[in-house]
Amino acid sequence: MAKLLHTSFTKNSNIFQNQRNHTSFYRFNHVYTPFNSNSSIDYSLNRCLDSSICCSYMSWNPRVLISNRTPVIAFGSRDGYEVKATAAVPGSADGNDAAAAVEVVVKSKMMETAVLGLLFGLWYLFNIYFNIYNKQVLEVFPYPVTLTAVQLAVGSFIIFLSWALNLHKWPNISRAQLAAILPLAVMHTLGNFSTNMSLGKVSVSFTHTIKAMEPFFTVVLSTMFLGEIPTPWVLTSLVPIVGGVVLASLTEVSFNWPGFWSAMASNLANQSRNVLSKKLMVKKEESLDNITLFSIITIMSFFMFTPIALLVEGVKFSPAYLQSAGLNIKQVYIRSLLASICFHAYQQIAYMILQRVSPVTHSVGNCVKRVVVIVASIFFFRTPITPINAIGTGIALAGVFLYSQVKRIKPKST
């Protein structure tokens, strides 16, 4: 490619030979390259390069004129590279400059891929440890309301600390934005509380098997409140999800109705939050970035839910109460703190990933995350499972993956 660019730059060297000492200054804002090609490189027809190439005839080198069929490697080409002319081309430049530009782009794409892979790994890791520590605490401290309030309190503290240290800028929130975010915070709180209640009643693997039904609630709520009619492919993908969850529930060793309905309530709350975010959020020019939105939701949830926790369960997290219950105070506090940190970390990383990938890719990643959490919890807690239970879980997760794929299919316009 470097030789090709060098040839195109040097081919017309006789055009301006008589103008070397000309003192005028010209700017070529647009250079058109009309050509076609059937090679793997995307040769764009009449592609306009706004390259800001400045040509001073006191030091003119005719090699900078682009007048031949020069390949433009587009961002969406199959080679995956992009060449941008962003500065003036010096008279002594040769093909090595183009090669260096390509190398920079390649390294940049590799770095972005590495960062995205790291974020996905941390997302899964924090989610695994949250479920492990949370389950360990709930087994000895069966108060999901109090534990949810503690997790929201720790998350709010981390958020205020990040703002104080300028790790993230302080948000400028209007009353209209707070009013629009309030329903999201309510659903966020109910979703987290329901998840903790389910984890306290049934196994981690079964809770996440039930939570695999999130796409079902997404389709139902989007149809009811947003008027989004699902395609036949989407409806078909819901069949294995529902069937797999039913099969797993019938053969689950730890099954009980409070744990089952709590997980279903978590699905309803979380997907209601997603639907409300589409229906009630403020105008685009006033919208917040994902991290700021998550931070505001967490803080609002803490201030809303803490009084409820004190009213319902009282002060159950004090050292005096834990000691009177015969619990290891240090162990309960440390595991609760770790669970809270992991809870906040994995949710914030999920929003960071969503800023970098499409919603469909994020949905696929969430499906894989659920598989990883289920498998990890089964091995860590030595959860007994039957072959039919494993088959039901597998069918439900396969249905979730199928759902994420068919969401790419756009309905035909009439």
Side-chain angles (χ1 to χ4, degrees):
M1 186 189 73
K3 291 182 178 180
L4 182 60
L5 290 173
H6 179 69
T7 302
S8 67
F9 288 164
T10 58
K11 197 167 183 179
N12 296 281
S13 60
N14 59 342
I15 296 178
F16 293 95
Q17 284 293 333
N18 297 328
Q19 301 183 14
R20 286 178 179 269
N21 298 322
H22 199 286
T23 58
S24 301
F25 183 84
Y26 293 88
R27 178 182 297 273
F28 291 86
N29 285 326
H30 303 88
V31 182
Y32 289 92
T33 58
F35 52 84
N36 289 305
S37 173
N38 294 322
S39 68
S40 61
I41 299 177
D42 179 18
Y43 290 84
S44 303
L45 182 61
N46 291 331
R47 177 69 62 89
C48 175
L49 302 178
D50 189 0
S51 55
S52 301
I53 302 178
C54 300
C55 308
S56 174
Y57 288 144
M58 294 182 66
S59 58
W60 170 257
N61 189 323
R63 291 183 295 176
V64 299
L65 180 65
I66 303 177
S67 61
N68 252 334
R69 297 184 175 184
T70 308
V72 178
I73 304 177
F75 179 80
S77 69
R78 281 168 286 181
D79 298 283
Y81 303 114
E82 179 181 18
V83 176
K84 294 181 179 179
T86 58
V89 180
S92 59
D94 56 15
N96 292 332
D97 295 327
V102 172
E103 184 178 358
V104 169
V105 173
V106 172
K107 289 183 178 179
S108 176
K109 298 298 292 183
M110 292 177 62
M111 182 61 67
E112 290 179 6
T113 303
V115 171
L116 186 60
L118 177 62
L119 289 176
F120 269 99
L122 291 175
W123 187 23
Y124 294 174
L125 186 65
F126 281 125
N127 205 296
I128 290 172
Y129 277 103
F130 161 71
N131 283 277
I132 290 175
Y133 289 130
N134 212 33
K135 181 65 174 178
Q136 288 177 332
V137 174
L138 286 169
E139 285 179 342
V140 298
F141 184 78
Y143 297 100
V145 178
T146 299
L147 190 59
T148 302
V150 170
Q151 291 168 357
L152 294 172
V154 172
S156 299
F157 174 79
I158 294 174
I159 292 168
F160 280 118
L161 184 63
S162 66
W163 288 346
L165 297 176
N166 289 325
L167 299 178
H168 202 272
K169 65 179 181 179
W170 285 84
N172 186 15
I173 304 296
S174 65
R175 291 185 178 181
Q177 288 175 315
L178 290 176
I181 295 173
L182 180 60
L184 309 184
V186 172
M187 292 298 104
H188 178 77
T189 304
L190 292 176
N192 294 330
F193 163 66
S194 300
T195 299
N196 284 337
M197 179 174 287
S198 180
L199 288 173
K201 298 294 183 179
V202 297
S203 66
V204 174
S205 58
F206 185 54
T207 296
H208 283 274
T209 299
I210 301 172
K211 285 173 70 66
M213 282 192 65
E214 285 180 348
F216 173 82
F217 287 90
T218 299
V219 172
V220 173
L221 294 173
S222 296
T223 302
M224 292 175 58
F225 296 104
L226 300 180
E228 297 179 357
I229 306 301
T231 64
W233 292 106
V234 169
L235 292 176
T236 302
S237 69
L238 298 180
V239 175
I241 295 176
V242 176
V245 170
V246 171
L247 186 61
S249 300
L250 292 175
T251 57
E252 171 62 33
V253 176
S254 66
F255 178 87
N256 60 70
W257 287 110
F260 175 84
W261 287 117
S262 297
M264 294 292 281
S266 175
N267 288 334
L268 179 61
N270 289 331
Q271 299 316 304
S272 296
R273 178 192 61 191
N274 296 339
V275 171
L276 286 172
S277 66
K278 295 180 181 180
K279 189 175 182 63
L280 300 178
M281 277 306 292
V282 292
K283 297 178 182 179
K284 183 177 181 181
E285 59 269 17
E286 299 176 350
S287 63
L288 306 172
D289 64 88
N290 288 336
I291 302 301
T292 301
L293 178 60
F294 169 68
S295 300
I296 299 300
I297 287 176
T298 300
I299 294 172
M300 293 180 70
S301 298
F302 165 68
F303 282 110
M304 284 190 303
F305 195 69
T306 300
I308 297 175
L310 294 175
L311 182 64
V312 173
E313 293 182 351
V315 184
K316 301 290 188 182
F317 211 62
S318 63
Y321 180 85
L322 296 178
Q323 189 174 13
S324 65
L327 300 178
N328 186 323
I329 300 176
K330 182 179 179 181
Q331 188 177 74
V332 172
Y333 278 176
I334 291 177
R335 289 180 178 176
S336 298
L337 178 62
L338 292 175
S340 301
I341 293 174
C342 292
F343 170 77
H344 178 78
Y346 91 75
Q347 293 204 59
Q348 181 155 342
I349 291 174
Y351 279 95
M352 293 171 65
I353 293 175
L354 190 57
Q355 288 181 326
R356 290 170 166 81
V357 301
S358 67
V360 174
T361 302
H362 190 273
S363 178
V364 173
N366 191 54
C367 175
V368 176
K369 180 209 69 179
R370 205 170 297 286
V371 174
V372 173
V373 171
I374 289 175
V375 173
S377 66
I378 288 175
F379 278 101
F380 184 86
F381 292 107
R382 303 178 186 273
T383 306
I385 57 172
T386 64
I388 298 179
N389 180 265
I391 292 173
T393 301
I395 292 175
L397 295 173
V400 175
F401 179 77
L402 178 62
Y403 169 82
S404 66
Q405 295 302 305
V406 298
K407 285 289 288 182
R408 301 174 185 266
I409 302 176
K410 303 296 182 182
K412 295 181 179 180
S413 58
T414 58

